[in-house]
Amino acid sequence: MVLANTRAQAEDAAEHIMVSYDPLPPVVDAAAALAPGAPIIHPELGDNLAFERHIDTGNTDAAFAAADTIIEADFTFSRHTGVTLEARAVVADWNEGEQRLTVHQGTQVPHMMQTIYALHLGLDESQVRVICPDVGGSFGIKIHVYPDEMAAVAASRLIRRPVRFVADRLESFVSDIHARDHTVHARLAIMNDGTITGFDIDDLTGIGPYSAYPRTSAVEANQVINLIGGPYRFAHYRARTRVAFQTKAMMSQYRAVGHPIATSVTEGLLDRAAQRLGIDPVTIRRRNLIPDDAYPYTSPSGMRFEALSHHACLDRLLTLMDYDALRAEQASLRERGIMRGIGIASFIEITNPGAAFYGVGGARISAQDGATIRLDATGRLIVQASVTEQGQGTTTILAQIAAEAMGVPFEHIRVMLGDTDVTPYGGGTWASRAAGIGGEATWQAARTLRDQILTLAASILQETSGNLDISGGAVIDHASRAERITLAELARIAYFRPDTLPKGIQAELIATRHYVPREYPFAFTNGIQAAWLELDTETGFITLLKHWVVEDCGTIINPLLVDEQIRGGVVQGIGAALFEQCDYDSEGQMLNASMADYLVPMAGEMPDITIAHITTPTAESTIGAKGAGEAGTAAASAAIANAVNDALSPLNITITTIPLTPARILAALGTCADGVGPG
């Protein structure tokens, strides 16, 4: 990039910029993009295949040859996008005098963006400051580098003035990354007693004309084949995934990357098998779920599980929903012509990713996070951490952790996030890692500072530090719990009268710690969901009556925040199951790029969502927390799709395309006038 010396030169150069290109014929469908003779989007690559991976463990052909029953289905998942409350926004300010760039941005990853801006503008990272305030929702949409944001930052340096870009809703629909958009041909080998022996999977997806930078758009496809069959015991697994370039909006990570597809395929096949074999859906799951005492365990796809609780979650769910009574009610209503369905979906969720996620590929995306905590001159505590606040309650969680670790009131903690000039270096917020990784770093920093404070207090009080404790914002006697000195008084001495301290004592009232999981590449969580709904055969409309989630995210730090994260995730899963799809014409033009046409679930569509927990802490950290941000999304659409098909089961109809729109349901029932066939 050549930068003009003056604004006049920049404006003059802009007048002479001309872009010419020969547009390619549209290549909208992923399968068509890989067909012989398709227009090649990047001729230098030779074809439109962006990524391909194969997994083959065990003798899959023999397993299928020996199976009593083979279940086979084609699943289709429509594209959708994040529809965040707050659109993408950036304000860039190049200061010529300081030779520094300050960028205020709604991003999940301020340190990654600092690296990107420095690299592409020819700056040192120390010349770039990225400030990420509280962000109004991200869901993975805001971990990527976007051309419009890069242009705004480059323009600021070019004209030496602040430049702002805020995407409006129409721009967001066609420029924010999209997700899902998979077709999966799936086969399940199973014995007559319901024992799974193998899966055979072929997944295909399109990612638009480019792969997301510096992350990759192949992650979702990769996780689909990593996670299929995840909760269950079986030995034989063969899977292929292909990722194609196409002329649609770019696709990449979105909340619960790959999980809803993997769960829908797995649980959809299992329900089909239960129906074919005449086994109750609960029984077939109980027969195949990995036992709770079988850990550590490695799946056929190579996923390593530290400790999960599938059977405990299933037992809790059956009690929570009163499964037997619900089945009896369903049977009674069917006799009156009322079609209700129950859908169940077990799931696993990847959280707390370590360096194996991006570091092994050389990407400068940090897997570790840091926290600094200090006692200020008034006796209050300041926490500065590298994870960010996206509306999920990170600020509250870190304050709670610091308060408990230090023994001070919650209101004595101030948390500062999202500023590369202030916080330690870290990965930011993605893949449900804020509490599990950022929280552990905060705990360790707080415990270190606590020891420093007690050492200082012991020297002031001429006491042994082991006889002291901290509670209620004061140093107290450990045995009698009597107050000895307040933290405010200790800070006053340390900062303003250090000359009164014993010789050789230097007050250190600040501590920084970093944390990354090492033993396992991910901290898997698990759980199970169930949906109860009613289907109107005359209109194709679905009424969600009740939804249940039992989830194991390890140690729960704030029950309210965890439950609301799960509820929010379930709502996004409802959107995928019933409403959301990005419609394109044959020319690659998005047809419903507005809130008037792109449907999302609203309050009126929400069922009551009941949540319960099993607790299996990870042993990798002191606090034992795993992630909770994506569990709701991981299985909600699978549970709802299974419930719809359960409602349709008396008619021997199964739909394997989502969203399950009224038109699609009526087509499956044979009453849709527009000729659209069943999914």
Side-chain angles (χ1 to χ4, degrees):
M1 176 178 292
V2 178
L3 300 179
N5 291 323
T6 67
R7 183 176 183 182
Q9 287 176 329
E11 292 171 345
D12 182 64
E15 292 177 1
H16 294 88
I17 291 175
M18 297 188 65
V19 178
S20 62
Y21 64 96
D22 295 321
L24 282 169
V27 188
V28 179
D29 180 70
L34 298 182
I40 299 175
I41 295 174
H42 302 287
E44 67 275 16
L45 299 180
D47 58 31
N48 291 320
L49 183 64
F51 175 80
E52 183 172 8
R53 181 182 172 216
H54 295 258
I55 300 174
D56 198 346
T57 60
N59 193 335
T60 307
D61 287 333
F64 275 82
D68 292 326
T69 300
I70 295 174
I71 307 298
E72 191 165 359
D74 291 302
F75 295 86
T76 303
F77 303 88
S78 296
R79 270 187 175 234
H80 48 276
T81 187
V83 197
T84 55
L85 181 65
E86 176 186 74
R88 289 185 297 106
V90 59
V91 178
D93 184 11
W94 171 257
N95 186 309
E96 184 67 17
E98 294 183 357
Q99 289 287 292
R100 286 203 88 204
L101 174 68
T102 301
V103 182
H104 296 259
Q105 184 173 5
T107 179
Q108 299 168 239
V109 284
H111 283 103
M112 187 194 87
M113 295 309 302
Q114 178 190 41
T115 297
I116 295 298
Y117 293 137
L119 175 65
H120 292 282
L121 295 178
L123 303 171
D124 292 331
E125 287 195 20
S126 62
Q127 291 179 273
V128 180
R129 179 185 186 186
V130 177
I131 300 172
C132 170
D134 291 357
V135 178
S138 293
F139 317 126
I141 299 297
K142 297 170 183 172
I143 60 172
H144 304 289
V145 176
Y146 288 91
D148 40 29
E149 296 171 354
M150 285 296 300
V153 174
S156 176
R157 188 174 181 208
L158 192 70
I159 65 176
R160 304 176 187 178
R161 284 168 172 73
V163 174
R164 179 182 65 184
F165 169 77
V166 180
D168 64 29
R169 191 60 68 182
L170 299 179
E171 291 169 327
S172 290
F173 270 112
V174 296
S175 63
D176 289 358
I177 62 101
H178 294 178
R180 315 310 189 215
D181 198 13
H182 288 248
T183 57
V184 182
H185 179 71
R187 297 194 305 148
L188 173 72
I190 195 164
M191 308 308 289
N192 284 336
D193 66 355
T195 301
I196 298 170
T197 57
F199 285 86
D200 189 7
I201 303 297
D202 192 0
D203 171 52
L204 173 64
T205 185
I207 58 167
Y210 304 98
S211 180
Y213 169 77
R215 298 167 190 262
T216 171
S217 295
V219 167
E220 183 167 83
N222 200 48
Q223 291 199 170
V224 167
I225 62 171
N226 277 340
L227 299 174
I228 283 177
Y232 301 103
R233 288 182 298 175
F234 61 97
H236 308 285
Y237 187 54
R238 181 168 58 210
R240 174 179 72 161
T241 189
R242 290 173 296 160
V243 177
F245 291 120
Q246 58 183 168
T247 49
K248 286 183 178 178
M250 188 166 63
M251 195 173 85
S252 195
Q253 288 100 316
Y254 172 55
R255 193 176 194 175
V257 183
H259 295 65
I261 296 150
T263 305
S264 293
V265 170
T266 303
E267 300 299 305
L269 288 174
L270 220 57
D271 264 22
R272 280 191 160 200
Q275 187 177 18
R276 178 87 61 87
L277 298 173
I279 301 174
D280 185 86
V282 168
T283 302
I284 200 169
R285 286 171 171 81
R286 192 185 298 282
R287 192 159 294 164
N288 290 284
L289 287 168
I290 301 167
D292 291 354
D293 61 358
Y295 299 96
Y297 187 93
T298 301
S299 75
S301 65
M303 298 292 100
R304 295 172 57 215
F305 306 140
E306 177 192 5
L308 302 177
S309 55
H310 290 297
H311 288 271
C313 287
L314 175 60
D315 291 342
R316 184 76 176 93
L317 176 74
L318 297 179
T319 301
L320 203 63
M321 64 189 294
D322 198 352
Y323 180 77
D324 292 337
L326 212 58
R327 283 294 184 197
E329 181 182 351
Q330 180 189 43
S332 174
L333 291 170
R334 280 180 176 173
E335 292 178 358
R336 295 157 44 194
I338 298 174
M339 300 182 69
R340 290 193 178 181
I342 301 170
I344 295 174
S346 292
F347 67 92
I348 54 176
E349 179 201 353
I350 288 175
T351 74
N352 292 9
F357 205 76
Y358 286 109
V360 294
R364 288 180 61 83
I365 298 169
S366 181
Q368 59 83 54
D369 275 286
T372 296
I373 184 166
R374 59 185 169 87
L375 187 74
D376 73 10
T378 67
R380 302 300 175 103
L381 292 165
I382 311 296
V383 177
Q384 297 160 305
S386 55
V387 292
T388 57
E389 177 64 77
Q390 311 290 318
Q392 78 276 43
T394 299
T395 303
T396 300
I397 289 289
L398 299 190
Q400 282 186 258
I401 290 171
E404 182 173 343
M406 290 294 304
V408 303
F410 175 84
E411 56 271 18
H412 286 193
I413 307 287
R414 181 189 174 202
V415 177
M416 301 171 65
L417 309 173
D419 187 339
T420 59
D421 267 12
V422 172
T423 64
Y425 198 94
T429 295
W430 48 278
S432 300
R433 61 197 302 284
I437 295 181
E440 179 66 17
T442 300
W443 175 273
Q444 293 184 12
R447 296 301 288 184
T448 301
L449 177 61
R450 179 182 180 277
D451 289 344
Q452 293 171 353
I453 289 173
L454 291 178
T455 298
L456 177 62
S459 69
I460 295 173
L461 299 171
Q462 299 184 12
E463 180 62 88
T464 301
S465 62
N467 294 334
L468 301 175
D469 199 357
I470 301 176
S471 179
V475 175
I476 63 173
D477 183 83
H478 189 276
S480 69
R481 313 308 288 173
E483 181 178 306
R484 299 292 302 275
I485 185 173
T486 66
L487 294 185
E489 176 62 13
L490 183 142
R492 184 193 68 80
I493 295 171
Y495 285 114
F496 304 115
R497 292 303 310 275
D499 57 304
T500 64
L501 295 175
K503 187 176 180 180
I505 296 296
Q506 174 60 52
E508 296 289 350
L509 299 181
I510 186 169
T512 299
R513 289 292 181 271
H514 292 79
Y515 171 72
V516 65
R518 293 184 180 273
E519 181 63 28
Y520 289 86
F522 312 103
F524 277 95
T525 72
N526 72 277
I528 190 166
Q529 298 191 27
W532 171 236
L533 54 80
E534 184 172 317
L535 188 151
D536 187 327
T537 57
E538 293 185 357
T539 64
F541 276 69
I542 293 167
T543 301
L544 301 175
L545 303 172
K546 188 79 175 180
H547 200 97
W548 297 268
V549 181
V550 179
E551 190 258 5
D552 185 344
C553 63
T555 303
I556 297 174
I557 298 166
N558 186 308
L560 179 62
L561 285 176
V562 168
D563 285 0
E564 295 315 308
Q565 276 289 293
I566 293 172
R567 284 194 177 90
V570 168
V571 171
Q572 286 184 301
I574 290 170
L578 302 181
F579 300 103
E580 297 185 52
Q581 58 182 353
C582 299
D583 294 324
Y584 281 82
D585 65 16
S586 60
E587 298 297 313
Q589 177 69 37
M590 187 172 171
L591 301 175
N592 60 333
S594 75
M595 293 301 293
D597 302 303
Y598 182 95
L599 301 181
V600 295
M602 306 291 281
E605 286 80 50
M606 292 302 99
D608 288 337
I609 302 172
T610 299
I611 298 169
H613 297 277
I614 302 296
T615 302
T616 309
T618 174
E620 279 239 68
S621 67
T622 307
I623 62 176
K626 306 175 186 178
E630 299 169 282
T633 309
S637 56
I640 291 167
N642 281 353
V644 169
N645 286 322
D646 183 53
L648 291 168
S649 61
L651 304 176
N652 198 29
I653 292 172
T654 302
I655 305 175
T656 54
T657 296
I658 63 170
L660 293 155
T661 61
R664 194 161 277 141
I665 290 171
L666 291 176
L669 291 167
T671 59
C672 187
D674 63 8
V676 177

